[in-house]
Amino acid sequence: GDEPLDAGTLEAFGGSLGSAGVIVLSEADRPPEVARAAMRFFRNESCGQCTPCREGTVHAVSLMSAPSWDIAKLEELSACMADASICGLGQAAPASLRSVLRFWPELVR
């Protein structure tokens, strides 16, 4: 739609403005690969202070590297990371993963 890109407007659509970073994909991109690359980025950038982020990103990358994703485990792990991480990095880490699970689940089965 033509929704404004303002703080507070995207939540109703399952999105978030976050730090205002936007990832634009072409039809040539594979969303699961993009989500895996994003999770590797968060794994590498984690300060290691809290377990949900430190261990969650490592475990998520491992699960996302399988030929077929364990969707139930990834959904549970994503919720834990988003809810229990101390800072915004750990809370945001599962965003791309959650988008793939929501919009392209057929690509990871």
Side-chain angles (χ1 to χ4, degrees):
D2 292 328
E3 299 303 322
L5 193 57
D6 294 328
T9 59
L10 299 179
E11 285 78 3
F13 302 97
S16 170
L17 191 55
S19 62
V22 176
I23 298 173
V24 178
L25 305 178
S26 76
E27 290 189 17
D29 291 310
R30 295 206 18 91
E33 292 172 13
V34 173
R36 190 172 30 253
M39 191 63 73
R40 283 194 304 265
F41 168 81
F42 284 108
R43 177 197 62 199
N44 295 341
E45 293 301 314
S46 174
C47 73
Q49 184 176 353
C50 70
T51 303
C53 180
R54 180 185 65 242
E55 299 299 323
T57 54
V58 170
H59 192 53
V61 168
S62 176
L63 290 169
M64 295 167 76
S65 296
S68 178
W69 292 5
D70 186 331
I71 293 174
K73 281 185 182 177
L74 284 166
E75 286 176 342
E76 183 178 3
L77 181 58
S78 293
C80 177
M81 291 171 64
D83 295 342
S85 292
I86 294 172
C87 77
L89 186 130
Q91 295 164 3
S96 294
L97 165 60
R98 286 178 148 179
S99 289
V100 169
L101 295 177
R102 179 177 177 193
F103 296 109
W104 299 283
E106 71 281 359
L107 297 179
V108 297
R109 292 192 171 128

